[in-house]
Amino acid sequence: MKVYHVSAEYYPAAKVGGLADVVGSLPAYQSNLGVDTSVIIPKYGTPWFESQAYETVWASTFWYPDETVSFSIQRVLDEARTEALYVIDIPGKFDRAGVYSDESGYYSDGAERWLSFQRAVLDWILHSESRPDVIHVHDYHAGLIPFMMQYSYDYGPLKSIDTVYTIHNQQYHGAFGWDRQYLLPAFDTWKSGLLDWSHMINPMAAGVKCAHRVTTVSPSYLRELKYDASGLEWLFEHYEEKCVGILNGIDPLVWDPKADHYIDFHLKKSVANFKKENKKKLASHYHINPKRPIVSFIGRMVDQKGADLLAEAMTQMLSEEQPMSFVILGTGDAQLEDQFRTLQGQYPNSTGITLAYNEGLAHRIYASSDFLIMPSRREPCGLNQMYAMRYGTIPIVHHTGGLIDSVVPYDEDQGTGIKFDELNTAAVISALHTAISLYQNKESLANTINHCMEADFTWGASSKKYIELYEGIK
Ligand code: GLC
């Protein structure tokens, strides 16, 4: 079986969020199971792409009414990679400093960019000798591919290829006005309704309507989408039969406490030592007290991740001088960043705040913290809780989406984390108090850490589920 993954992100080439980690790890597992797997992403103008060697495999041109779009398909030459990686060079569209944005903000020509990427993918497949059996597209950036394969006249010969659409985050739809319908190659206009949602062309909705199978990155998230999907609820009810939730896995080679090259101390025999030594190092980096529990947050400071609730809870905990320190790593809303900066100024000995994206520091924080907090309002899967557990850091999570499916509330002798149901500052504060008590109970603490580290979040089971899904399409 031959499978092409089409995605905006891929670790380590282009990472903004968890999408990159998933597309950067699932394909290797599929290859190991005997599937001929390739990944196709845009060629961005970022340093990783400059450092690679390429072989151009195809080049062509297509036309928007007022623009000629030239592109080339380049295979990345790297013997070490299990799956094949192709990048699409589209000058003017992707040779920029960021994936979705740069320091001057989000790119305003998203529709033109993602359509050019998707059309280039399909033009290439149309002209290549060996076509895939399955095209597996990820998130809205590739969500129009199933529609175009079915209903654009140019792509008629691709109709028989199976399509799978995976939703990593349903909040972003990539919708644009019908006045830009000309970005798509001519299609059967009787089918326009399949592109439409609320009088816009909506790639997220079109992906759900037109793909042969739709997956979400956890089973609980799929259940939630039926009653809360920013207006698309009905779609998930209506297409229920072709939708399935498959929990993400993580790459155990990238996230390996015994060999992770980012961290200061590797896990040898004693978990307690591993935690203690790494924690000492992080505590001295941020000038915080290593005797107190460290609760960390890693991620985007946006509404979805509940960083605002955390900032409020921290303000209260720190003003009451509760025995706890906080480490924060991420970027996002300017106002939230300011709030964290202020807390750092007020409580320099109990906070370590880094307002940046820093992959290496993230690894060190997972290895060094006692707890990782995720007060997410919505969490399609969440990978951070899995990374944390692998490094013996106990997750504190809101009961939502993939956090429901991956964290088991702790009690005397089982469970892996602390969960809260309500979503408000008081609930976050109460969970933090639970963390302080757990930290003081050395036996329960050690047991919970062990359960976390024993949990298996590798791709083993989930990668097989995807293959069964592909096989079941016919
Ligand atoms: C998105 C989701 C996150 C998920 C990731 C990978 O970033 O917000 O929950 O884990 O995609 O699927």
Side-chain angles (χ1 to χ4, degrees):
M1 191 192 306
K2 189 174 161 109
V3 177
Y4 283 3
H5 288 272
V6 183
S7 169
E9 298 183 34
Y10 173 85
Y11 180 83
K15 173 166 170 172
V16 177
L19 169 63
D21 289 352
V22 170
V23 180
S25 56
L26 169 64
Y29 277 80
Q30 297 184 323
S31 298
N32 290 337
L33 291 170
V35 176
D36 176 358
T37 319
S38 301
V39 175
I40 310 171
I41 57 170
K43 187 176 189 184
Y44 300 102
T46 50
W48 187 91
F49 291 86
E50 276 160 31
S51 65
Q52 304 297 307
Y54 302 94
E55 176 198 5
T56 298
V57 294
W58 202 64
S60 186
T61 299
F62 64 83
W63 290 270
Y64 286 151
D66 53 355
E67 189 186 353
T68 306
V69 182
S70 299
F71 66 90
S72 65
I73 314 284
Q74 304 174 6
R75 188 183 164 124
V76 179
L77 300 173
D78 178 359
E79 297 294 318
R81 187 167 285 110
T82 325
E83 67 277 16
L85 176 62
Y86 294 93
V87 300
I88 307 195
D89 187 23
I90 314 179
K93 299 280 185 268
F94 289 97
D95 46 353
R96 305 180 186 177
V99 173
Y100 311 115
S101 61
D102 56 30
E103 66 270 8
S104 44
Y106 279 89
Y107 301 132
S108 57
D109 57 349
E112 285 79 0
R113 294 175 82 222
W114 298 115
L115 246 316
S116 71
F117 172 57
Q118 297 173 86
R119 289 180 63 168
V121 170
L122 293 179
D123 280 1
W124 173 44
I125 297 174
L126 187 67
H127 291 91
S128 60
E129 276 159 24
S130 86
R131 292 182 185 151
D133 303 293
V134 179
I135 301 188
H136 187 156
V137 300
H138 297 265
D139 271 352
Y140 84 80
H141 322 101
L144 292 171
I145 283 182
F147 175 87
M148 289 194 279
M149 286 169 67
Q150 293 297 318
Y151 307 112
S152 286
Y153 303 117
D154 288 358
Y155 301 131
L158 304 183
K159 259 195 187 133
S160 60
I161 300 177
D162 297 333
T163 53
V164 174
Y165 179 47
T166 292
I167 300 173
H168 296 260
N169 196 341
Q170 191 280 144
Q171 281 204 321
Y172 303 102
H173 293 188
F176 55 94
W178 277 99
D179 54 337
R180 279 189 293 167
Q181 174 183 334
Y182 60 75
L183 295 175
L184 280 95
F187 55 86
D188 178 354
T189 47
W190 281 94
K191 301 294 177 189
S192 300
L194 292 170
L195 291 172
D196 188 84
W197 198 265
S198 298
H199 313 298
M200 305 268 279
I201 295 179
N202 186 314
M204 172 59 69
V208 176
K209 293 184 206 178
C210 300
H212 293 111
R213 291 288 186 279
V214 176
T215 74
T216 61
V217 289
S218 72
S220 291
Y221 187 52
L222 179 57
R223 275 193 294 278
E224 290 172 357
L225 289 179
K226 289 183 191 153
Y227 58 86
D228 184 4
S230 33
L232 302 190
E233 298 78 8
W234 173 84
L235 266 192
F236 292 98
E237 280 284 352
H238 185 77
Y239 290 102
E240 187 176 23
E241 300 236 314
K242 65 173 179 183
C243 297
V244 56
I246 302 179
L247 190 69
N248 282 335
I250 62 173
D251 188 337
L253 298 177
V254 175
W255 301 97
D256 181 359
K258 293 192 173 132
D260 186 332
H261 63 270
Y262 286 122
I263 66 179
D264 296 302
F265 295 93
H266 287 147
L267 172 64
K268 294 198 182 84
K269 280 202 190 88
S270 153
V271 170
N273 253 352
F274 165 73
K275 296 301 297 175
K276 198 171 98 204
E277 293 301 330
N278 281 297
K279 183 174 175 181
K280 237 200 265 167
K281 194 88 187 182
L282 190 79
S284 87
H285 173 78
Y286 283 120
H287 309 291
I288 55 183
N289 180 350
K291 296 249 152 49
R292 291 171 164 192
I294 295 182
V295 177
S296 297
F297 172 91
I298 300 178
R300 283 173 297 131
M301 288 158 192
V302 292
D303 204 54
Q304 187 195 336
K305 300 288 176 188
D308 53 325
L309 297 174
L310 176 62
E312 284 167 28
M314 276 171 67
T315 308
Q316 184 165 332
M317 295 293 281
L318 291 165
S319 70
E320 290 170 358
E321 295 181 17
Q322 297 290 348
M324 178 169 264
S325 302
F326 295 91
V327 167
I328 310 284
L329 172 64
T331 57
D333 292 351
Q335 200 193 330
L336 270 174
E337 289 192 2
D338 274 347
Q339 228 172 318
F340 286 117
R341 230 177 258 125
T342 308
L343 286 172
Q344 165 88 85
Q346 285 173 321
Y347 307 101
N349 301 324
S350 315
T351 52
I353 316 273
T354 303
L355 299 171
Y357 167 83
N358 185 330
E359 193 72 17
L361 181 56
H363 283 241
R364 290 203 292 284
I365 294 174
Y366 288 119
S368 313
S369 308
D370 299 291
F371 299 94
L372 180 92
I373 187 157
M374 299 176 73
S376 308
R377 291 190 163 78
R378 308 298 308 274
E379 197 58 82
C381 174
L383 299 168
N384 293 3
Q385 77 281 15
M386 301 184 187
Y387 301 145
M389 286 189 253
R390 209 154 143 74
Y391 288 84
T393 295
I394 299 169
I396 306 174
V397 301
H398 176 222
H399 188 81
T400 182
L403 300 174
I404 299 176
D405 302 332
S406 56
V407 179
V408 182
Y410 94 96
D411 61 27
E412 281 309 298
D413 44 25
Q414 56 181 350
T416 51
I418 297 169
K419 274 191 177 173
F420 49 97
D421 288 326
E422 301 270 312
L423 193 66
N424 50 47
T425 313
V428 176
I429 290 173
S430 147
L432 291 171
H433 280 290
T434 308
I436 294 177
S437 323
L438 176 58
Y439 186 76
Q440 285 160 354
N441 181 340
K442 293 299 168 205
E443 199 183 325
S444 292
L445 182 70
N447 284 342
T448 310
I449 292 175
N450 283 340
H451 297 148
C452 286
M453 295 182 87
E454 282 158 9
D456 179 10
F457 292 114
T458 54
W459 275 106
S462 296
S463 57
K464 287 199 190 101
K465 286 189 190 149
Y466 277 110
I467 292 172
E468 281 160 22
L469 181 86
Y470 301 153
E471 286 171 346
I473 294 178
K474 284 283 147 38

